[in-house]
Amino acid sequence: MDNVLIVVDDLDAMKSFFTELGLELEGQTTVEGPSVGSLIGLKDVRATIAMMRTPDGQGIELDKFHRPDAVRFGPIDAPVNALGLRRIMFAVDEIDAVVAHMQSHGAELIGQMQYGASYRLAYIRGPEGIIVGLAEHLG
């Protein structure tokens, strides 16, 4: 996998959120024109994209559409069982510290659990209602 696309409204807030989770901004640019439109099936496209990378190279592409406007289907705080892409999950060390850190930067804790003796898990909600899972491998 090269990356996962997340369409956002507030690009700066989402970059900050993922930076606090430990991703680095690889680059940012604006794309537009007929070739972009033909690739994604839209006309008169103009978007700013920011590529974020995890330390091991996995990518998240954040796209802010200027033209055409982004379209929202459903509520901003959709529950995890809503159809479609609902969350992305990151492996972390010291999950309690990561949750506390993200809460200090505005994330909302949805819930936590321990899965047997294998994992501790937490779901947090960030800007624009995004759900991020955190998984700490035990032992």
Side-chain angles (χ1 to χ4, degrees):
M1 180 178 79
D2 182 72
N3 70 70
V4 173
L5 167 67
I6 302 173
V7 177
V8 303
D9 188 42
D10 187 337
L11 184 60
D12 289 333
M14 294 300 278
K15 287 188 311 187
S16 294
F17 178 79
F18 284 109
T19 297
E20 292 301 329
L21 271 173
L23 281 74
E24 292 185 9
L25 178 63
E26 181 178 72
Q28 180 172 316
T29 192
T30 299
V31 297
E32 60 188 322
S35 61
V36 174
S38 68
L39 173 67
I40 63 175
L42 297 172
K43 294 183 190 279
D44 194 28
V45 174
R46 183 170 189 273
T48 301
I49 62 173
M51 182 59 69
M52 308 288 297
R53 292 268 177 208
T54 62
D56 67 352
Q58 301 301 309
I60 295 177
E61 180 181 320
L62 304 173
D63 284 21
K64 163 66 176 164
F65 279 85
H66 306 287
R67 296 188 311 261
D69 290 335
V71 178
R72 178 175 301 281
F73 289 100
I76 190 168
D77 290 334
V80 76
N81 66 334
L83 293 173
L85 181 63
R86 286 298 104 210
R87 64 121 177 100
I88 56 176
M89 185 171 279
F90 294 96
V92 299
D93 295 321
E94 301 180 23
I95 195 168
D96 293 327
V98 174
V99 168
H101 176 76
M102 295 308 296
Q103 285 179 306
S104 75
H105 289 277
E108 169 195 349
L109 176 64
I110 296 172
Q112 297 182 61
M113 69 169 280
Q114 183 162 330
Y115 185 73
S118 301
Y119 286 95
R120 291 190 60 218
L121 305 169
Y123 275 23
I124 59 173
R125 190 179 298 276
E128 301 184 30
I130 188 169
I131 298 173
V132 171
L134 305 171
E136 179 181 14
H137 180 71
L138 302 173

